[in-house]
């Protein structure tokens, strides 16, 4: 079918949806109505392939992965889906015929509020690659009504507001009440036995919560129409009337009455108060219980019984949040399916894998025993037994070593260690970079690694280059394809071919021209959409910026002390205190959210914004140096920012960053990295080569393990002391809150400096001079940037998923069966059919 015919059919399909949905003609449709109808028309095409993909899985019965994560950050779906389907030309033709603008269409879609940072974005990269590589898989998460929060900056302070991404109907999701689940909390335990004589527990007078599934199709990129479509299933408690307790409401207990309806309202509710702790625990179990019920139900539908469950099912626990699936699986199998305890435990250890993403204490979750016993009494008894059995195993292996038993125990000091539960209940435990994997084995989980040496491995993270390069940076994608062909889109290892063009002067100039255009786009965003607000939230202006000749210096990531936004800011202050202005103009760009309960991170945001304000007030400074804090950082804003970046700030304290993925996205977009030897920075440097990785700095993880006195740095380094004392003297503060934040940050640096900011600051400062020197040589800068892009092949999430599939899951590709695809297409009405290709 030719493009003209395709576009005519698609136009009619859009008009059909507008008339039947909005009740008027296409000419009268608002932008939002047109967007919704357009997406529904496109979704029809997607669902053909989705039906064929699922039917193929049912027919061929492959081993299937279930990826369970508290976070997903897919970004906007429409433009990405169009790219994956190869429908760009069709969409342009349709919009031209209907006199509509693509930018207006895209503006109608909100970023899904399903995640916060790298954990969620990684999960979305993984499901994208699983679909593209046509592996049998699906993902599970929670459908957060208000996301984590929408960040606004009011007079320099972070304010959290609801993230209203579901304000309008979402055309990409479908509610599937037929697959709803019931999840039980609290209640009275009723001991009984299964047929094997194992003690199991039933629940009486428990609290039932109903979880409704919402399905979102995830499209795999394919050069042919035979693309796979996988499923992201999100659970919600918002819309089920069962979750509202009318008796409590009538008794005046409004909070208690609606608590279960609100379980999926917010990602990571502040857990400083008791209510936050309770909701977070219930959230995690809701995700685990609903997903496991769905996994078992789907397996029974295909296989009839659970005899092949251990062989055909693989479950990946993405960080510690879903770790309760270990206890819940044992409970479900021993109680409802008459597995013996030993059989259930063997199945659990065979099926489950655990990915650790952090060594931070707050990331290695622990739950209070009493709280778990109250809300999850059956699972608590199972954890107790699992722990007793495991501790006995440790004692048998290491007689008389009770200290080792204590270190390995799942329960210690009244706390349940969720990472320990996940480790013991999984057949594989992986870190997400080689350094991180080494730290896990040699430090964090050393005792476990000694006991189970074959259980631990490391698979370095990756990102989907189709989203972060092909989709986000079409100008650079065109530049690359013109030189090496388009094979890199499906096989990113081919990007290495770009290296032979790095020294070509025409290629260098073309690359710099692409970068300038991307900078112009980002500057337009800053000056039109990035707000500056007063203390009441009123918009008073937009970001102040420099022109495209400035070096765009980007640090975009979750605000955290170990990520060292504070070190970046101290360097900026040091530069501003130099007697002679530098030759290179810089636009310093910060972006990221601080957790609502993380006071120090919010103080860092305040300090950044107070310095930004002062610089903008100082005419001499703002001509050479400008700061922009991008509020409410999300995928869509990253897609504008990353292509414009010249310098990527990857400056975490060595030994603390598990991997990092922002470093990969920025490097793929032609930014050079200034970075410590931390996380995946090390492997990126090795892949790119030391010659083309000129801005390495800082102490190593081993060096950071030694004692350090920050006061010694202040005594011996006058420029650093002057910069740090601006915090003590509250130079940038304009109100009491800013003054308090400035002083507390000063005291934490001088008295502790846990994350070695002052230790690395001098080396960082000197390395930044090298950045300026190279930037003054545009062709040399472009050559280095092109070598960086060329070295990024192994950091595609495609390569990461292939490693997981081989080393951990043991799954094989299962593309849609052509006969099944043909049958589905035949059943789809010939008159309603709208084929893209």
């Amino acid at each position: 079918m030719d493009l003209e015919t395709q576009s005519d059919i698609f136009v009619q399909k859009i008009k059909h949806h507008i008339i039947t949905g909005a009740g008027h003609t296409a000419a009268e449709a608002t932008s939002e109505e047109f967007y919704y109808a357009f997406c529904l028309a496109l979704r029809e095409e997607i669902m053909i392939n989705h039906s064929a993909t699922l039917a193929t899985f049912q027919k061929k019965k492959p081993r299937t992965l279930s990826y369970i994560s508290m976070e997903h950050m897919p970004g906007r779906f429409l433009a990405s889906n169009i790219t994956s389907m190869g429908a760009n030309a069709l969409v342009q033709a349709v919009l031209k015929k209907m006199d509509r603008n693509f930018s207006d269409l895209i503006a109608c879609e909100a970023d899904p509020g399903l995640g916060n940072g790298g954990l969620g974005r990684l999960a979305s990269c993984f499901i994208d690659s699983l679909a593209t590589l046509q592996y049998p898989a699906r993902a599970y998460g929670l459908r957060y009504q208000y996301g984590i929060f929408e960040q606004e900056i009011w007079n320099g302070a972070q304010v959290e507001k609801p993230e209203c991404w579901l304000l309008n109907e979402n055309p990409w999701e479908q509610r599937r009440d037929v697959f709803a689940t019931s999840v039980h909390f609290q209640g009275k335990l009723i001991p009984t036995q299964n047929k094997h004589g194992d003690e199991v527990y039933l629940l009486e007078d428990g609290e039932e919560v109903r979880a409704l599934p919402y399905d979102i199709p995830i499209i795999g990129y394919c050069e042919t129409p035979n693309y796979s479509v996988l499923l992201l299933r999100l659970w919600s408690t918002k819309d089920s009337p069962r979750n509202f307790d009318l008796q409590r409401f009538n008794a005046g207990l409004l909070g208690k009455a609606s608590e279960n309806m609100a379980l999926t309202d917010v990602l990571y509710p502040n857990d400083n108060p008791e209510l936050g702790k309770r909701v977070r625990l219930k959230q995690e179990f809701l995700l685990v219980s609903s997903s496991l019920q769905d996994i078992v139900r789907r397996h029974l539908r295909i296989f009839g019984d659970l005899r092949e469950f251990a062989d055909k099912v693989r479950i990946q626990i993405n960080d510690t949040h879903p770790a309760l699936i270990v206890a819940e699986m044992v409970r479900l199998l021993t109680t409802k399916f008459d597995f013996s305890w030993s059989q259930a435990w063997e199945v659990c250890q065979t099926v489950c894998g655990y990915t650790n993403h952090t060594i931070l204490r707050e990331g290695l979750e622990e739950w209070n025993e009493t709280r778990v016993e109250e809300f999850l009494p059956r699972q608590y008894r199972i954890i107790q037994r699992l722990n007793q059995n495991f501790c006995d195993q440790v004692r048998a292996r290491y007689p008389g070593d009770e200290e080792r038993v204590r270190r390995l125990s799942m329960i210690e000091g009244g706390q349940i260690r969720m990472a320990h539960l996940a480790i013991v209940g999984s057949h594989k435990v992986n870190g997400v970079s080689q350094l991180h994997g080494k730290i896990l084995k040699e430090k964090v989980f050393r005792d476990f690694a000694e006991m189970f040496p074959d259980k631990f491995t490391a698979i370095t993270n990756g990102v989907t280059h189709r989203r972060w390069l092909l989709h986000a940076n079409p100008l650079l994608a065109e530049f690359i394809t013109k030189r090496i062909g388009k094979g890199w889109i499906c096989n990113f290892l081919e990007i290495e071919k770009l290296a032979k063009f790095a020294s070509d002067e025409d290629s260098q100039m073309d690359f710099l021209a692409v970068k300038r255009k991307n900078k112009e786009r980002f500057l337009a965003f800053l000056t039109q959409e990035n707000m500056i607000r007063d203390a009441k939230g009123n918009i008073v202006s937009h970001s102040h910026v420099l022109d495209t000749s400035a070096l765009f210096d980007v640090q975009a990531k979750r605000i955290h002390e170990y990520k060292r936004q504070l070190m970046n800011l101290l360097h900026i202050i040091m530069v501003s205190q130099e007697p002679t202005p530098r030759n290179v103009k810089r636009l310093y760009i910060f972006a990221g959210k601080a957790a609502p309960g993380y006071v120090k991170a919010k103080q860092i945001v305040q300090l950044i914004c107070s310095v930004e304000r002062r610089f903008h007030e100082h005419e001499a400074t703002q001509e050479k140096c400008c700061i922009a804090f991008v509020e409410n950082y999300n995928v869509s804003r990253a897609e504008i920012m990353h292509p414009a970046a010249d310098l990527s700030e990857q400056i975490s304290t060595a030994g603390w960053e598990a991997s990092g993925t922002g470093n990969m996205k920025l490097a793929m977009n032609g930014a050079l990295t200034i970075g410590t030897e931390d996380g995946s920075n090390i492997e990126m440097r090795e892949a790119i080569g030391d010659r083309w990785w000129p801005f390495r700095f800082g102490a190593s993880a081993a060096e950071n393990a030694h004692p350090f006195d920050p006061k010694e740095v202040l005594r011996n380094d006058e420029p650093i002391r002057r910069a740090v004392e601006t915090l003590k003297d509250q130079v940038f503060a304009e109100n009491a809150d800013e003054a308090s934040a400035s002083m507390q940050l000063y005291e934490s640096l001088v008295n502790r400096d846990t994350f070695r900011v002052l230790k690395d600051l001098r080396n960082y400062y000197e390395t930044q001079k090298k950045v300026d020197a190279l930037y003054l040589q545009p062709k040399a800068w472009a050559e280095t940037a092109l070598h960086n892009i060329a070295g990024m092949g192994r950091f595609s999430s495609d390569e990461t998923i292939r490693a997981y599939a081989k080393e951990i899951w043991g799954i094989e590709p299962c593309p849609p069966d052509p006969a099944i695809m043909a049958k589905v297409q035949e059943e789809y009405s010939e008159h309603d059919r709208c084929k893209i290709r």
Side-chain angles (χ1 to χ4, degrees):
M1 189 185 301
D2 60 58
L3 181 62
E4 182 69 18
T5 305
Q6 285 181 320
S7 59
D8 285 341
I9 295 173
F10 200 80
V11 166
Q12 291 306 313
K13 184 64 68 176
I14 294 170
K15 290 180 178 179
H16 165 82
H17 284 297
I18 291 174
I19 291 171
T20 58
H24 49 238
T25 64
E28 301 171 284
T30 65
S31 294
E32 289 76 14
E33 290 169 340
F34 182 82
Y35 160 77
Y36 189 74
F38 186 97
C39 292
L40 289 181
L42 197 65
R43 191 175 185 276
E44 289 186 16
E45 174 74 16
I46 294 167
M47 296 311 290
I48 294 173
N49 287 56
H50 179 247
S51 299
T53 302
L54 293 185
T56 300
F57 293 167
Q58 287 189 262
K59 175 186 176 182
K60 297 190 176 181
K61 299 178 171 61
R63 176 181 289 177
T64 302
L65 168 71
S66 293
Y67 193 86
I68 304 181
S69 178
M70 282 290 284
E71 290 189 43
H72 296 271
M73 283 191 75
R76 295 174 179 173
F77 288 106
L78 177 57
S80 178
N81 286 348
I82 291 169
T83 299
S84 294
M85 297 170 70
N88 297 80
L90 173 62
V91 168
Q92 291 174 7
V94 167
L95 293 178
K96 184 177 181 180
K97 288 186 176 184
M98 300 192 77
D99 194 25
R100 295 281 178 163
N101 184 282
F102 188 68
S103 59
D104 292 340
L105 192 67
I106 295 298
C108 293
E109 184 172 14
D111 275 54
L114 302 173
N116 179 36
L119 186 71
R121 189 53 230 162
L122 182 75
S124 294
C125 285
F126 278 11
I127 191 70
D128 174 277
S129 285
L130 284 163
T132 297
L133 299 176
Q134 302 190 311
Y135 284 110
R138 70 169 49 185
Y140 292 96
L142 296 180
R143 182 180 181 264
Y144 303 105
Q145 189 76 18
Y146 305 114
I148 184 167
F149 61 85
E150 181 175 322
Q151 180 195 54
E152 289 186 358
I153 304 300
W154 291 17
N155 196 31
Q158 173 178 291
V159 174
E160 298 97 27
K161 307 188 79 174
E163 195 169 4
C164 300
W165 69 285
L166 291 172
L167 196 61
N168 297 315
E169 195 170 1
N170 181 3
W172 301 112
E173 67 179 11
Q174 182 179 13
R175 181 168 141 178
R176 304 297 303 277
D177 287 29
V178 67
F179 298 125
T181 62
S182 292
V183 181
H184 297 274
F185 299 97
Q186 299 183 302
K188 178 183 176 182
L189 287 179
I190 308 297
T192 184
Q193 289 186 337
N194 62 18
K195 70 178 185 180
H196 301 280
D198 296 311
E199 186 175 52
V200 296
Y201 297 92
L202 305 180
L203 202 61
E204 186 177 84
D205 299 327
E207 180 182 59
E208 179 183 352
V209 175
R210 194 73 168 161
L212 301 179
Y214 288 77
D215 291 352
I216 297 176
I218 306 297
I219 305 172
Y221 182 92
C222 189
E223 297 288 349
T224 73
N226 203 41
Y227 56 86
S228 291
V229 180
L230 300 183
L231 191 69
L232 170 60
R233 176 159 286 174
L234 304 172
W235 303 103
S236 173
T237 62
K238 194 68 178 175
D239 297 323
S240 176
R242 284 198 203 181
N243 298 336
F244 184 73
D245 191 328
L246 187 59
Q247 288 185 325
R248 284 180 171 175
F249 179 83
N250 288 334
L253 302 173
L254 179 59
K256 288 278 189 180
S258 58
E259 179 178 304
N260 288 331
M261 291 193 74
L263 289 184
T264 56
D265 273 5
V266 177
L267 168 64
Y268 302 144
N270 186 352
D271 61 357
N272 289 335
E274 173 59 31
L275 176 62
K277 293 181 174 68
R278 185 166 73 240
V279 170
R280 285 183 77 156
L281 177 61
K282 293 173 82 171
Q283 274 188 342
E284 292 184 5
F285 185 68
L286 178 84
L287 170 62
V288 160
S289 177
S290 294
S291 302
L292 185 58
Q293 289 179 57
D294 196 64
I295 292 165
V296 170
R297 178 172 50 204
R298 182 159 43 95
H299 183 87
L300 289 173
R301 187 172 69 250
I302 295 174
F303 294 93
D305 56 45
L306 297 185
R307 285 180 293 181
E308 293 187 74
F309 191 78
D311 179 53
K312 294 297 185 178
V313 173
R314 288 296 177 267
I315 296 172
Q316 195 64 24
I317 302 169
N318 193 32
D319 222 355
T320 54
H321 310 119
L324 283 166
I325 199 167
V326 171
E328 179 63 359
M329 188 181 300
V330 173
R331 186 203 68 80
L332 194 65
L333 294 179
T334 56
T335 304
K336 292 197 172 183
F337 298 99
D338 282 326
F339 279 62
S340 70
W341 177 275
S342 60
Q343 288 171 335
W345 184 234
E346 183 180 356
V347 168
C348 178
Q349 290 184 305
T350 302
V351 164
C352 291
Y354 164 50
T355 300
N356 174 275
H357 285 275
T358 184
I359 66 170
L360 291 170
R361 181 175 176 81
E362 66 259 31
L364 299 173
E365 282 190 311
E366 295 182 358
W367 284 111
N368 179 272
E369 259 192 284
T370 304
R371 186 175 294 109
V372 174
E373 184 178 17
E374 177 186 356
F375 288 97
L376 303 170
R378 296 173 297 172
Q379 292 73 21
Y380 174 67
R381 291 297 180 94
I382 288 171
I383 292 171
Q384 280 187 314
R385 180 172 173 182
L386 289 174
N387 188 54
Q388 185 60 57
N389 292 349
F390 178 62
C391 288
D392 290 345
Q393 185 182 352
V394 176
R395 289 186 178 100
R397 179 82 172 269
Y398 305 99
D401 194 347
E402 284 302 306
E403 178 59 24
R404 183 184 291 265
V405 175
R406 186 193 65 76
R407 294 195 304 267
L408 287 168
S409 175
M410 301 175 202
I411 304 174
E412 175 61 28
Q415 297 288 108
I416 299 176
R417 299 160 163 171
M418 304 311 292
H420 290 207
L421 177 64
I423 291 170
V424 178
S426 299
H427 70 282
K428 281 289 185 182
V429 178
N430 72 282
V432 289
S433 71
Q434 298 307 305
L435 174 63
H436 178 230
K438 182 179 179 182
I439 290 172
L440 292 183
K441 288 193 288 186
E442 295 180 359
K443 293 183 179 179
V444 182
F445 301 132
R446 183 181 63 189
D447 293 322
F448 283 105
E450 289 177 359
M451 192 167 182
F452 307 114
D454 295 332
K455 181 175 282 195
F456 285 80
T457 187
I459 299 178
T460 301
N461 283 343
V463 300
T464 172
H465 60 281
R466 286 172 294 275
R467 179 88 194 205
W468 293 104
L469 179 49
L470 178 65
H471 165 70
N473 198 343
L475 295 176
L476 183 58
E478 182 182 359
F479 167 92
I480 294 169
T481 300
K482 181 180 178 181
R483 285 156 178 81
I484 67 172
K486 62 179 185 178
W488 63 273
I489 298 173
C490 291
N491 179 12
F492 201 51
L493 294 176
E494 290 193 16
I495 199 68
E496 66 180 4
K497 297 177 182 177
L498 190 64
K500 68 180 181 181
F501 295 94
S503 58
D504 174 59
E505 188 171 330
D506 289 340
S507 295
Q508 293 168 3
M509 300 308 293
D510 287 350
F511 169 80
L512 293 172
V514 166
K515 183 65 71 175
R516 278 194 300 274
K517 290 180 181 178
N518 285 326
K519 285 181 173 183
E520 289 169 0
R521 180 178 176 227
F522 181 58
L523 288 177
F525 161 78
L526 286 178
T527 55
Q528 297 170 24
E529 299 183 48
N530 198 54
M531 318 302 183
I532 295 178
R533 307 171 194 269
D534 64 17
K536 294 183 179 181
N538 300 312
I539 299 171
V540 295
S541 67
H542 295 82
S543 290
H544 303 275
V545 298
L546 300 171
D547 59 39
T548 58
S549 67
L551 187 153
F552 283 27
D553 182 332
V554 172
Q555 188 173 17
K557 51 186 75 251
R558 182 166 52 97
I559 308 296
H560 199 291
E561 290 169 271
Y562 88 85
K563 294 181 183 288
R564 300 201 292 191
Q565 285 91 352
L566 185 55
M567 185 170 72
N568 187 351
L569 191 61
L570 286 171
H571 164 256
I572 297 171
I573 294 171
M574 290 173 69
V575 172
S576 73
Q577 292 175 334
E578 293 173 349
T580 305
R582 296 199 177 181
N583 293 326
V584 173
K585 295 188 290 187
R586 282 212 201 194
L587 175 59
Y588 295 96
I589 300 152
F590 292 88
K593 296 180 179 181
Y598 189 179
V599 175
K600 194 64 67 62
K602 296 176 89 168
Q603 290 173 339
I604 291 171
V605 172
Q606 276 188 294
L607 184 61
I608 292 169
C609 293
S610 63
V611 176
E612 174 186 7
R613 180 182 58 225
R614 180 61 58 86
F615 279 18
H616 295 161
E617 293 169 352
H618 195 275
E619 189 172 333
T621 303
Q622 66 177 257
E623 292 178 358
K624 282 288 188 178
C625 174
C626 215
I627 298 175
F629 189 97
V630 177
E631 70 176 12
N632 201 41
Y633 183 59
N634 57 22
V635 172
S636 292
R637 297 192 169 198
E639 288 171 347
I640 301 172
M641 181 188 302
H642 288 11
D646 292 307
L647 188 68
S648 167
E649 298 274 355
Q650 307 300 328
I651 59 177
S652 56
T653 311
W656 287 89
E657 185 71 82
S659 172
T661 50
N663 51 357
M664 301 172 188
K665 299 165 196 168
L666 284 158
M668 286 179 184
N669 278 277
L672 301 189
T673 302
I674 181 167
T676 51
E677 288 286 278
D678 197 23
S680 57
N681 284 356
I682 298 170
E683 292 157 74
M684 286 173 60
R685 174 181 58 78
E686 291 170 348
I688 292 166
D690 287 340
R691 180 183 175 187
W692 309 112
W693 189 267
F695 308 137
R696 168 187 175 185
F697 79 96
S700 67
E703 290 168 336
N704 282 329
H706 298 148
F708 163 67
D709 180 10
K711 290 186 175 67
E712 184 178 349
V713 175
L714 296 176
R715 285 193 297 268
N716 297 327
D717 197 315
E718 171 65 20
I720 289 179
R721 182 170 69 252
R722 286 179 59 217
V724 171
E725 286 182 348
T726 62
L727 309 188
K728 181 184 70 172
D729 298 337
Q730 301 155 31
V731 169
F732 304 104
E734 287 193 357
N735 56 54
D737 285 345
E738 290 181 355
S740 175
S742 184
M743 179 56 73
Q744 290 182 53
L745 290 172
Y746 169 79
E747 289 173 349
S748 71
L749 278 177
V750 173
N751 296 326
R752 293 180 300 278
D753 197 12
T754 305
F755 297 101
R756 304 298 195 263
V757 169
L758 299 183
K759 182 174 184 176
D760 279 349
L761 182 52
R762 170 52 60 182
N763 193 194
Y764 177 63
Y765 175 82
E766 297 299 331
T767 306
Q768 287 280 16
K769 291 181 180 178
K770 297 179 183 178
V771 173
D772 284 352
L774 186 60
Y775 193 74
L776 290 171
Q777 306 171 63
K779 293 177 183 178
W781 182 280
E783 181 179 14
T784 308
L786 290 170
H787 276 291
N788 274 251
I789 298 170
M792 291 302 294
R794 73 167 82 161
F795 301 101
S796 166
S797 51
D798 291 356
E799 300 306 309
T800 307
I801 287 300
R802 287 189 178 100
Y804 273 95
K806 179 180 179 181
E807 298 176 29
I808 295 180
W809 303 326
I811 58 175
E812 297 290 339
C814 185
D817 186 296
I820 292 175
M821 181 73 80
K823 182 179 179 182
V824 173
Q825 290 172 339
E826 183 179 352
E827 288 191 16
Y828 183 67
S829 169
E830 187 69 32
H831 296 292
D832 288 341
R833 195 156 135 205
C834 175
K835 288 299 297 173
I836 300 301
R837 286 189 289 242

